[in-house]
Amino acid sequence: MSSLSALLTSPQEQSADGFLTSISDVEYGQIRDYFYKRSGIYFDDSKRYFVDKRVISRIKATGHEDFRSYFSFLRFDPSQSELQYLVNLMTVNETYFFREEYQLRAMVQGALQDIVRNKQPGDSIRIWSLPCSTGEEAFSIALYLLEFWPELEKYEVEIIGSDIDTHVLQKAKRGKYSARSVKNLPKYLKQKYFRHEVQSDTYQLVQEVRECVGFTTVNLHDDQSMAEFAKFDLIFCRNLLIYFDDVSRRQAAERLFDALNPEGILFLGHSETMSRVSSLFKVRRYCDTTGYKKELP
């Protein structure tokens, strides 16, 4: 544990015009540990430049003269708006339509067949995408169901996309994407579900599909935030656990397990596994991918 005197005497570099250009090792440890406590995301020393740059930008933007003043403001801000702003800066959002398409195929050709064994026509099927970033994954799920799942009309399907970053959620709700975001979509799907704006070379998703997905803020490591997320039949939580340490992964696994209905299924990213994280789930193969099932005792 660092001492108060170390905080007071820790060196900070400033440019010739008086602006802060770096934070000390002690200060880096403080902001890293605070961010980890609030989000579950841990930045090791290899991320030092990434973190420093964003923290310094917020010190300047909020009018604080040094790290100590800013850090006090961050911790005791009653609205928590500055923490949310910092979260938005710190999280990386890299995605596009039909990313890891093999899991979408597994959804319609295997996982959903498993899920509907316990349902009757007219029942609800709840699908959760997190972190959903700017919405490509959640909308990909909707498009895949519309195009490739013949039983869709028998059930009331609800799709929720959630992220800790409020900025990307606003983009998701708008449903407007770059050519890069839709690069993996077949031409006929782009023509059917998007309106191409030639001048800006952007693709506007049609309103009917946008209205099929709800977007909400969630922090997987906050009990209050997670309270409303439950009774999902299928969860896509891809490429999130890689940002957590072992403790945070176990906590996340427990909360994802609790958010599933009995017999519900979880899909992780291609480089992620539950094998060393949690024994709560039963491993199941669906087509070319692995799913993690919440089986009844």
Side-chain angles (χ1 to χ4, degrees):
M1 185 174 68
S2 54
S3 66
L4 285 175
S5 58
L7 173 59
L8 290 170
T9 60
S10 58
Q12 295 180 327
E13 294 184 10
Q14 291 185 330
S15 62
D17 58 8
F19 283 121
L20 195 66
T21 60
S22 71
I23 61 177
S24 72
D25 292 344
V26 171
E27 291 163 346
Y28 175 72
Q30 289 177 319
I31 197 72
R32 177 187 62 189
D33 293 346
Y34 180 75
F35 196 79
Y36 169 71
K37 181 180 179 181
R38 298 304 302 271
S39 71
I41 299 173
Y42 183 78
F43 294 110
D44 60 26
D45 289 342
S46 68
K47 301 291 186 182
R48 175 68 185 267
Y49 177 77
F50 173 87
V51 174
D52 277 18
K53 184 177 180 181
R54 283 151 183 79
V55 170
I56 290 168
S57 75
R58 291 309 300 160
I59 293 174
K60 294 177 181 178
T62 54
H64 291 271
E65 295 183 355
D66 54 28
F67 175 86
R68 183 171 52 155
S69 174
Y70 172 74
F71 191 50
S72 177
F73 163 68
L74 175 68
R75 288 182 297 158
F76 300 113
D77 173 19
S79 72
Q80 294 295 287
S81 59
E82 179 57 25
L83 175 62
Q84 184 62 65
Y85 204 105
L86 194 62
V87 165
N88 293 355
L89 283 179
M90 294 286 201
T91 49
V92 178
N93 299 284
E94 174 75 18
T95 188
Y96 46 84
F97 279 86
F98 283 19
R99 185 180 189 183
E100 298 179 14
E101 187 180 357
Y102 63 90
Q103 284 193 339
L104 298 173
R105 285 195 299 269
M107 172 182 69
V108 299
Q109 296 176 11
L112 283 172
Q113 283 19 10
D114 205 352
I115 288 167
V116 299
R117 290 194 185 100
N118 302 298
K119 295 189 179 289
Q120 299 295 323
D123 284 352
S124 66
I125 295 175
R126 304 188 74 223
I127 302 175
W128 192 19
S129 166
L130 82 153
C132 69
S133 185
T134 44
E136 287 92 332
E137 178 175 273
F139 287 133
S140 291
I141 293 168
L143 295 182
Y144 230 81
L145 292 174
L146 286 166
E147 290 294 311
F148 304 115
W149 195 43
E151 297 184 69
L152 176 61
E153 62 183 17
K154 296 181 183 179
Y155 303 95
E156 294 294 326
V157 177
E158 180 184 8
I159 303 171
I160 303 295
S162 301
D163 205 285
I164 197 172
D165 185 337
T166 55
H167 181 63
V168 296
L169 289 173
Q170 291 303 315
K171 291 184 177 180
K173 292 174 183 178
R174 290 195 291 269
K176 182 178 286 191
Y177 297 99
S178 67
R180 181 184 179 281
S181 288
V182 300
K183 65 180 181 180
N184 285 355
L185 290 177
K187 183 177 180 180
Y188 81 94
L189 288 184
K190 286 189 278 190
Q191 292 175 337
K192 184 175 182 179
Y193 293 109
F194 294 83
R195 302 293 175 260
H196 185 206
E197 299 177 8
V198 178
Q199 187 173 0
S200 59
D201 196 22
T202 56
Y203 290 79
Q204 176 67 66
L205 190 62
V206 296
Q207 183 176 348
E208 292 82 356
V209 176
R210 298 202 308 273
E211 291 177 348
C212 290
V213 179
F215 290 102
T216 63
T217 307
V218 70
N219 181 345
L220 198 55
H221 287 271
D222 181 80
D223 290 334
Q224 185 176 354
S225 176
M226 283 294 296
E228 63 183 278
F229 295 94
K231 298 183 178 180
F232 288 99
D233 298 290
L234 184 59
I235 297 177
F236 286 82
C237 183
R238 305 193 295 191
N239 306 314
L240 177 63
L241 299 185
I242 57 176
Y243 296 104
F244 295 160
D245 67 357
D246 290 342
V247 173
S248 293
R249 287 191 191 101
R250 285 193 294 272
Q251 292 173 343
E254 291 170 2
R255 286 180 169 140
L256 291 169
F257 185 85
D258 290 342
L260 280 169
N261 273 330
E263 305 297 325
I265 298 161
L266 168 69
F267 283 138
L268 299 177
H270 73 279
S271 64
E272 298 171 309
T273 179
M274 279 291 176
S275 63
R276 297 181 180 179
V277 178
S278 173
S279 60
L280 291 171
F281 299 87
K282 301 299 181 183
V283 178
R284 292 290 179 265
R285 289 295 294 179
Y286 296 103
C287 303
D288 299 325
T289 193
T290 298
Y292 300 91
K293 193 172 183 181
K294 180 179 180 176
E295 290 194 345
L296 291 169

